[in-house]
Amino acid sequence: MSDAPPQPPARGWEPRDPSVQPAPRPPRRDRPRPQARTQARPRRTGWRRAVPTRRTVLGGLLLTALLLGGGFLAGYHLIEIPPANAAATAQANVYLYADGSPLAQAGRVNRESVPLDRVPRPLRQAVLAAEDRDFYTEPGVDPGALLRASWNTVTGKGTQGGSTITQQYVKNYYLGQERTVTRKVKEFFIAVKLDRAKPKDEILEGYLNTSYYGRNAYGAQAAAQAYYGKDVRELDTAESAYLASLLNAPSAYDVGARPSNRARALARWNYVLDAMVQEGWLTAAQRSVLRFPEVLPSHPTAGLAGQRGYAVQAVNAFLARHGILSEKALAAGGYRITTTLRKDRMDAFDEAVRQQVLDRLDPEANPADRYVRVGGASIEPATGRVVALYGGVDYTRQYVNNATRRDYQVGSTFKPFVLASAVAYGATTQHGEPITPNTVYDGTNKRPVEGWTGKAYAPANEDDMSYGGIPLHTATDRSVNAVYAQLAVDVGPKKVKRTAISLGLPADTPDLTASPSIALGPATASVLDMAEAYATLANHGRRGLYTLVEKVERIDPDGDRPLPLPAAGSGARQAVSREAADTTTAVLRGVVEGGTGTAARAAGRPAAGKTGTAEDDKAAWFAGYTPDLATVVALMGQDPGTGAQKPLYGAMGMARVNGGGAPAEVWAHYTGTALEGTPPRDFDLQLPEGAEVEEDRHPEDLTEEVGAEDTTGQVTDDRPPQPSRDPSPPGRATTPDGFPATG
């Protein structure tokens, strides 16, 4: 038992005696009510019930803030800075003449990125004045402007700008131009991150290189060329303010495209300059003397029309062939390529072709004129630089480059390679006599060659003329096939082929076959190939790298990166001996002075050259050189509809078109213009003993030799070395061994 006193029962609970009934509770109304702690709030009625309470408003604001904050954090962490879009990084390849002036731009986008330090300060300040004056002091986003733009887009009130330069750069470089809320939201978050990740200068540089200025010009450099024809670094303040004005609406402010835009453009230009004064970037005095700058007329970007496309095609082929840039790299763009081409000489070639050929064509009246195509190439022998090309009437109208195509026979322009080979190898006639320019050969039409163990070969001369006994240099002047077929056999066709390749013809030249017919030029080398070979002869037999490219740079905002290039003339070697080359030059001078190429004398300076005609007169050539310039011109016949080769009979109103006609006339016109202002130079020739060209002897001086074996061991007839017509049918012939009889 416990000694503790008994405890009273817990309050509110007592043991119930089942025999006792509980007292009844009083009615509810009689029950005392507990006193209320506060006064009861009156109930809201009527319109007041539609008005949110202060508690609701505060709660909604808090919820909205939480949602916005959460959305911002989520967006900031989820939306990453993406890689640049393809359109923003795509650039054109920029091609320049040798002096740095623009030649062409080729690529998907007319853009050339430049580093910020190449953009003049006035242009940078003008752009900031026009687009975002607080760029360097304020954050990279403007939430208010973004919300207004988004709201207007959603409600259908049209599009609205107001973005900062950072936001515009994000749109240009990372996103796209679509007008959607999603794009604007992404733009906002990327701009926030970009503003924290990159310095302002880098963002401004990117903006200047990706913005559109009209005239298909993306970036400040392309715009400077499009509107002023100059490098961006050369822009002055007035020009800079105009380019900055264009960013707002290029089509509305281009006064070159639409003169009616002038008033609007002037107002915008003044706005930009006034803003520059307000910002302290320009003084009022400097502002007062500025005048609205005149811009170039609107015209297509220096693309591929005219000769530009042919030049770009040839340059790209050179880069790919020499392993400097692949076709894939060139297609991606972003290279600045300085060529060796000279604008004055390109223009001179174009003018020479126009005056000597194109102005003489009348396709409507003369169907043969529809077939005429012209190709040309010009090289400095001493440097190896290709200074001019002529690829056709217009790259956008005739795509095939006539300067580099390899599908027309070179004809008798190949004969000098046979002569050079004879001297270089010290060749002798069939009877062991040394071959010199004065060696007498039998020039009888269709005379079978001797000493050839293959199939019989008896080539026809031009127009089936027979010449009898004729000195080699005279046979060169008159392009006698019978003589040169025999000369090729005397030298050895394989040696002739080897010499041609050493001089400059590609080893894979089609139809460059080691047979007697090689001398007549069935090979289909290009005009540029032939110009390289003739330049080697002009350079006394010394051949280096013939080049179309002076410099290649990868365009990079951090600084252009040059690519390694073989120098022009590098790896120079003696292709043939100087004596062989100079002997050939001495003989070819006679072709110009009194042979088939006398039209070339119109150049007005010492020259050497050779005419050539392809089978069936499908092409006519003149290849020639002075000490300063080696140039080859070819007229080719091609059906514009089918692409088939066509004879040039009747073209330009002439019964026959041969190398001594229009090709030599173009050559003379071009050479005279290209070298205008430079003093004429004579050839500095070193000839071996016995190689001096003797004057032609009178016919009676040869009568003792005819009817007997001459110095070549060939039996001649009793005719003097004057041309006579063979009784066989006129026209071009195919020789017995299946090779064409070219002239």
Side-chain angles (χ1 to χ4, degrees):
M1 296 181 61
S2 172
D3 294 331
Q7 298 294 325
R11 186 174 181 175
W13 181 87
E14 294 180 358
R16 174 177 296 180
D17 186 347
S19 62
V20 180
Q21 295 292 326
R25 299 185 67 181
R28 184 177 184 87
R29 62 178 177 270
D30 297 332
R31 193 182 307 164
R33 296 182 179 181
Q35 187 164 350
R37 295 183 180 179
T38 60
Q39 186 68 25
R41 182 181 292 111
R43 183 170 298 179
R44 292 156 55 95
T45 61
W47 61 268
R48 290 184 178 86
R49 299 181 63 181
V51 179
T53 65
R54 182 170 51 185
R55 181 181 299 176
T56 303
V57 171
L58 291 176
L61 290 175
L62 179 60
L63 179 62
T64 301
L66 290 174
L67 290 175
L68 289 175
F72 178 85
L73 292 175
Y76 187 84
H77 287 288
L78 293 176
I79 299 177
E80 299 292 338
I81 299 177
N85 63 59
T89 56
Q91 298 185 64
N93 291 321
V94 180
Y95 298 81
L96 307 174
Y97 287 109
D99 63 359
S101 59
L103 167 61
Q105 290 187 355
R108 292 173 291 174
V109 177
N110 178 21
R111 177 191 292 119
E112 180 185 354
S113 296
V114 294
L116 188 62
D117 58 11
R118 188 169 160 186
V119 179
R121 184 175 297 274
L123 178 56
R124 285 182 264 168
Q125 293 171 338
V127 169
L128 293 176
E131 298 296 314
D132 189 357
R133 302 177 199 181
D134 300 323
F135 172 73
Y136 278 101
T137 58
E138 296 295 330
V141 294
D142 184 348
L146 182 62
L147 289 174
R148 285 194 303 272
S150 300
W151 176 255
N152 287 340
T153 300
V154 170
T155 58
K157 294 181 179 179
T159 58
Q160 180 179 337
S163 299
T164 65
I165 279 180
T166 304
Q167 290 172 265
Q168 293 181 58
Y169 172 53
V170 167
K171 177 180 66 175
N172 293 340
Y173 192 73
Y174 295 105
L175 300 175
Q177 303 303 313
E178 66 273 9
R179 302 276 188 169
T180 63
V181 173
T182 301
R183 196 271 292 164
K184 291 184 180 296
V185 171
K186 289 182 178 179
E187 175 188 304
F188 177 86
F189 286 109
I190 295 171
V192 170
K193 285 192 169 184
L194 197 69
D195 196 47
R196 295 170 59 87
K198 289 189 176 184
K200 293 284 190 177
D201 278 354
E202 187 173 340
I203 295 173
L204 180 59
E205 177 184 288
Y207 174 74
L208 291 170
N209 282 320
T210 56
S211 296
Y212 182 61
Y213 293 79
R215 297 192 181 186
N216 194 36
Y218 290 83
Q221 170 68 358
Q225 294 288 356
Y227 288 91
Y228 297 108
K230 61 174 66 173
D231 190 273
V232 66
R233 74 183 85 191
E234 300 172 4
L235 295 173
D236 60 26
T237 302
E239 294 166 341
S240 297
Y242 178 71
L243 291 189
S245 302
L246 292 167
L247 292 169
N248 183 257
S251 61
Y253 301 124
D254 187 349
V255 296
R258 295 182 180 86
S260 59
N261 287 339
R262 187 175 183 86
R264 193 174 354 183
L266 182 61
R268 181 69 179 176
W269 179 76
N270 283 320
Y271 166 80
V272 173
L273 290 176
D274 291 342
M276 293 177 70
V277 173
Q278 293 173 13
E279 295 297 321
W281 297 328
L282 194 65
T283 67
Q286 292 171 329
R287 164 74 177 87
S288 64
V289 298
L290 295 178
R291 297 292 178 267
F292 188 76
E294 296 300 323
V295 302
L296 296 174
S298 179
H299 56 78
T301 306
L304 302 182
Q307 297 304 307
R308 292 188 292 269
Y310 301 121
V312 167
Q313 189 185 70
V315 168
N316 287 351
F318 174 88
L319 293 171
R321 184 170 65 251
H322 290 276
I324 300 167
L325 284 175
S326 66
E327 291 184 9
K328 183 177 180 180
L330 286 165
Y335 294 94
R336 183 184 298 106
I337 302 164
T338 303
T339 72
T340 59
L341 299 171
R342 290 178 48 174
K343 187 177 188 306
D344 59 338
R345 295 190 174 178
M346 291 281 286
D347 291 344
F349 223 135
D350 194 67
E351 177 66 13
V353 173
R354 186 186 66 78
Q355 288 195 21
Q356 302 300 327
V357 178
L358 301 183
D359 287 352
R360 298 161 62 183
L361 300 178
D362 187 1
E364 296 297 327
N366 184 9
D369 286 348
R370 297 172 53 246
Y371 303 148
V372 176
R373 304 287 181 269
V374 183
S378 186
I379 295 176
E380 290 179 344
T383 66
R385 293 181 174 89
V386 180
V387 295
L389 291 173
Y390 186 89
V393 65
D394 188 328
Y395 184 75
T396 62
R397 293 165 54 194
Q398 294 177 8
Y399 178 75
V400 177
N401 192 338
N402 296 325
T404 57
R405 65 189 303 170
R406 292 189 175 116
D407 56 349
Y408 280 85
Q409 296 174 345
V410 302
S412 289
T413 55
F414 192 93
K415 286 173 180 170
F417 308 153
V418 186
L419 176 58
S421 187
V423 180
Y425 284 102
T428 60
T429 65
Q430 294 293 303
H431 284 257
E433 298 292 333
I435 296 174
T436 73
N438 303 301
T439 301
V440 177
Y441 272 86
D442 184 357
T444 302
N445 184 51
K446 295 183 180 179
R447 172 190 172 280
V449 298
E450 295 188 2
W452 174 244
T453 57
K455 191 174 181 180
Y457 185 59
N461 293 331
E462 181 78 9
D463 293 330
D464 291 309
M465 291 292 187
S466 284
Y467 295 87
I470 186 172
L472 182 55
H473 68 84
T474 306
T476 307
D477 296 346
R478 300 179 183 179
S479 201
V480 182
N481 291 340
V483 170
Y484 265 87
Q486 184 62 56
L487 180 62
V489 172
D490 292 346
V491 178
K494 290 184 179 179
K495 293 179 180 178
V496 172
K497 178 179 179 179
R498 193 177 306 135
T499 298
I501 294 171
S502 295
L503 289 171
L505 265 61
D508 61 350
T509 299
D511 294 323
L512 184 62
T513 306
S515 70
S517 68
I518 192 173
L520 278 60
T524 57
S526 73
V527 171
L528 182 57
D529 296 335
M530 295 298 288
E532 293 182 5
Y534 271 72
T536 303
L537 292 175
N539 197 34
H540 309 292
R542 190 166 181 79
R543 178 191 176 193
L545 172 67
Y546 294 106
T547 182
L548 272 160
V549 177
E550 193 74 38
K551 182 169 57 176
V552 178
E553 298 168 293
R554 182 74 173 97
I555 300 172
D556 194 318
D558 296 328
D560 296 339
R561 295 181 286 108
L563 275 64
L565 286 177
S570 61
R573 58 180 177 79
Q574 204 68 36
V576 296
S577 66
R578 174 162 186 167
E579 291 77 10
D582 287 359
T583 298
T584 304
T585 298
V587 172
L588 295 184
R589 290 193 63 181
V591 175
V592 173
E593 292 302 318
T596 56
T598 54
R601 295 170 60 183
R605 54 188 64 229
K610 184 70 186 74
T611 59
T613 309
E615 179 187 11
D616 293 330
D617 284 6
K618 292 177 181 176
W621 297 68
F622 184 81
Y625 51 92
T626 70
D628 304 297
L629 208 56
T631 304
V632 177
V633 180
L635 264 64
M636 308 165 187
Q638 183 176 23
D639 189 311
T642 66
Q645 295 187 13
K646 292 289 186 178
L648 291 171
Y649 301 129
M652 295 183 290
M654 304 175 64
R656 296 279 302 277
V657 176
N658 52 50
E665 292 164 354
V666 170
W667 185 96
H669 188 134
Y670 162 75
T671 302
T673 304
L675 298 179
E676 187 175 6
T678 63
R681 288 201 301 140
D682 206 347
F683 292 99
D684 177 22
L685 303 180
Q686 294 182 9
L687 304 179
E689 185 177 353
E692 293 80 3
V693 177
E694 299 177 358
E695 295 294 330
D696 278 347
R697 291 168 288 179
H698 293 289
E700 56 269 20
D701 296 331
L702 295 175
T703 55
E704 295 181 359
E705 299 177 22
V706 298
E709 287 189 347
D710 62 16
T711 56
T712 66
Q714 313 299 328
V715 177
T716 65
D717 59 21
D718 58 357
R719 287 174 289 181
Q722 293 178 328
S724 61
R725 185 168 297 279
D726 190 272
S728 58
R732 318 298 296 172
T734 300
T735 58
D737 69 350
F739 292 103
T742 57

